Amino acid sequence: MALDKVAEIIAKTAHCKVEDITPETKLEALGIDSLKAITVLFELEEAFDTEIPNELISSISTVNDILDRLGTANC
Amino acid sequence: MNRRVVITGLGAVSGLGLNATTFWQELVAGQSAIKPLNLPIEDIKISIGALVPEFDPENHFSSDDLTLLDRFSMLAVIAAREAVCDAGLCSGEDSITQAAAIIGSGCGGKHTDEATYDQLYKQQRTRAHPLTIPKGMPSAAASMVSKHLGIKGPTFALASACASGSHAIIQGCTMIQSGMVDVALVGASDAPFTFGLLKSWEALRVATHDTCRPFCADRSGIVLGEGAGMVVLESEQHAKARGARIYAQLAGCGMTSDAGHITRPDVTGISSAIINALDYAGINPDEVDYVNAHGTATQANDIAETAAINQVFGDRAKKLAVSSTKSMHGQALGASSALDLIASTLAIYHGIVPPTANFTVADEHCDLDYVPNIAREQEMDVAISNSFAFGGLNSVIAIRKHS
């Protein structure tokens, strides 16, 4: 599932457990600041072989937002 | 000098070990850190170097911190922590919060830059790692030292190739003399063992396959090293007021540029820098006891440096102890010049001249006392530390025993 992969990538940067990450989790709550966020996005782009445009970044707040941007919210 | 500047803290990370205590012990023992590299890189002709031994970054930094630290920044922070602690200072106190941090580097964050370029050029990847810029920028080590030590005063990087550490130390000294700051953490860091940089040094044809034998007839070039040297400088008044241990007085400094050949040293440029340092300090050449030489073991440097010392000191030259500690910690680019100043400081403080290791027979044009292979107990009042960089940038620091 896409959520599993996304959670794994976020957990690596946030140094938290994968199980602690749900679609509703806010990135800010995991201590992901703007610098860590671009690292997460880089890893996501690599893993999903896609591109997340800069214009969409400001609207990303939760894990679900990421899944939306990846077009995989329902995977 | 209007305000006396003194040296109160030392931090050294080098091929000789992870702290200044080991650094000094190994120097006095004449132990060279130069070893086969055994790097997991193919097609490199440079086969020896002085790598920092038994270095596990995770023993020094959290995994979160490591995401932002190039190797040269790691070495800088470890040496900076040691220097501040050695000075009896702590993060959070005003002396450190308001201090300056001037951190030189000869090559900057090459590990980071090259990893990204490898991905882009060689592996045809389409995106660079997003932390490439903040990790790899030449000022990254200065920023990381500031962050990890809580230094909030004037902080920046400085580059003058292999004299970067010496120039940084002089910059800190003049900031204290001007009254801008009371305390400055100064030095340099370099981590040059990367594929691109090793190939580039290889192409210059100045690196030896033998070992580093400064001033010897059979010398055959430099041996690269890595490391960081950091020094805490203070106004004498500030150091005395807090009862700090004083290693030595930073008595004077001289800087010149050859304005000439990009790699060939110039005797006049070197001698002028030595003269300027002595004049600045009000030191007569006859007062100097020890010269920590630039001593790279290239054909050109060792002859030019010897000629310059003879020119400045005249009859006194033969009475000087002259040694190159690069024979033991290698040519760690900008970091070397800071490590050399630390060696000079400890030499004055302990009354021991570190030797020139790997010494065989002196070159016919090298006619000074190079303290071959064995350290020498000798009371000293004045030492100078020579650093000369590619590009003709010369920097000399004079230190005096503190009394």
Side-chain angles (χ1 to χ4, degrees), chain A:
Chain A
M1 272 182 67
L3 174 61
D4 293 342
K5 187 67 189 167
V6 170
E8 186 187 317
I9 287 169
I10 292 173
K12 195 174 92 181
T13 298
H15 304 296
C16 67
K17 289 179 184 166
V18 175
E19 307 87 80
D20 294 342
I21 297 172
T22 68
E24 290 73 36
T25 304
K26 290 196 166 186
L27 298 182
E28 198 180 341
L30 296 172
I32 295 185
D33 60 13
S34 58
L35 199 60
K36 286 180 178 171
I38 58 170
T39 304
V40 168
L41 293 175
F42 165 77
E43 302 274 2
L44 289 167
E45 287 183 330
E46 289 282 284
F48 289 89
D49 191 23
T50 184
E51 192 141 354
I52 301 170
N54 285 354
E55 307 84 79
L56 295 180
I57 291 173
S58 58
S59 62
I60 293 175
S61 159
T62 65
V63 173
N64 217 15
D65 293 335
I66 290 175
L67 294 168
D68 275 344
R69 302 301 170 262
L70 291 170
T72 55
N74 299 318
C75 291

Side-chain angles (χ1 to χ4, degrees), chain B residues 89-102:
Chain B
L89 294 167
C90 295
S91 293
E93 64 181 275
D94 286 351
S95 296
I96 288 300
T97 308
Q98 295 164 8
I102 318 299

Side-chain angles (χ1 to χ4, degrees), chain B residues 63-287:
Chain B
S63 51
D64 219 20
D65 286 337
L66 283 172
T67 60
L68 279 169
L69 288 161
D70 184 273
R71 189 174 174 95
F72 95 117
S73 297
M74 294 179 206
L75 304 182
V77 172
I78 294 167
R81 283 173 178 162
E82 185 191 13
V84 167
C85 185
D86 185 50
L89 294 167
C90 295
S91 293
E93 64 181 275
D94 286 351
S95 296
I96 288 300
T97 308
Q98 295 164 8
I102 318 299
I103 312 298
S105 184
C107 68
K110 279 287 189 285
H111 282 265
T112 299
D113 289 345
E114 289 197 20
T116 290
Y117 299 155
D118 182 88
Q119 300 258 312
L120 296 175
Y121 299 157
K122 212 166 158 186
Q123 300 180 38
Q124 304 288 303
R125 302 286 277 274
T126 55
R127 44 180 84 81
H129 192 282
L131 300 184
T132 304
I133 298 295
K135 275 176 77 176
M137 59 191 181
S139 54
S143 295
M144 287 296 119
V145 165
S146 162
K147 171 184 149 80
H148 284 264
L149 276 295
I151 292 173
K152 297 183 177 180
T155 299
F156 54 90
L158 183 155
S160 55
C162 299
S164 300
S166 184
H167 278 114
I169 292 165
I170 292 173
Q171 176 66 42
C173 175
T174 55
M175 289 167 93
I176 292 170
Q177 286 175 326
S178 75
M180 185 182 285
V181 293
D182 288 320
V183 178
L185 175 62
V186 288
S189 179
D190 272 301
F193 290 103
T194 60
F195 177 76
L197 209 57
L198 287 171
K199 291 301 283 183
S200 303
W201 277 102
E202 187 181 295
L204 268 173
R205 297 176 186 271
V206 292
T208 177
H209 300 289
D210 177 20
T211 190
C212 180
R213 303 186 192 282
F215 306 106
C216 294
D218 57 349
R219 71 191 183 285
S220 47
I222 69 160
V223 176
L224 286 172
E226 64 172 356
M230 296 292 156
V231 175
V232 173
L233 301 178
E234 293 183 61
S235 69
E236 183 185 46
Q237 189 183 15
H238 188 273
K240 280 185 170 173
R242 67 182 189 88
R245 173 211 38 220
I246 294 173
Y247 282 110
Q249 180 196 352
L250 202 167
C253 39
M255 299 177 283
T256 61
S257 178
D258 296 344
H261 197 278
I262 195 74
T263 56
R264 191 176 60 232
D266 176 64
V267 175
T268 307
I270 294 171
S271 60
S272 304
I274 298 173
I275 290 167
N276 289 352
L278 298 179
D279 284 351
Y280 198 122
I283 290 170
N284 187 295
D286 285 342
E287 292 179 78

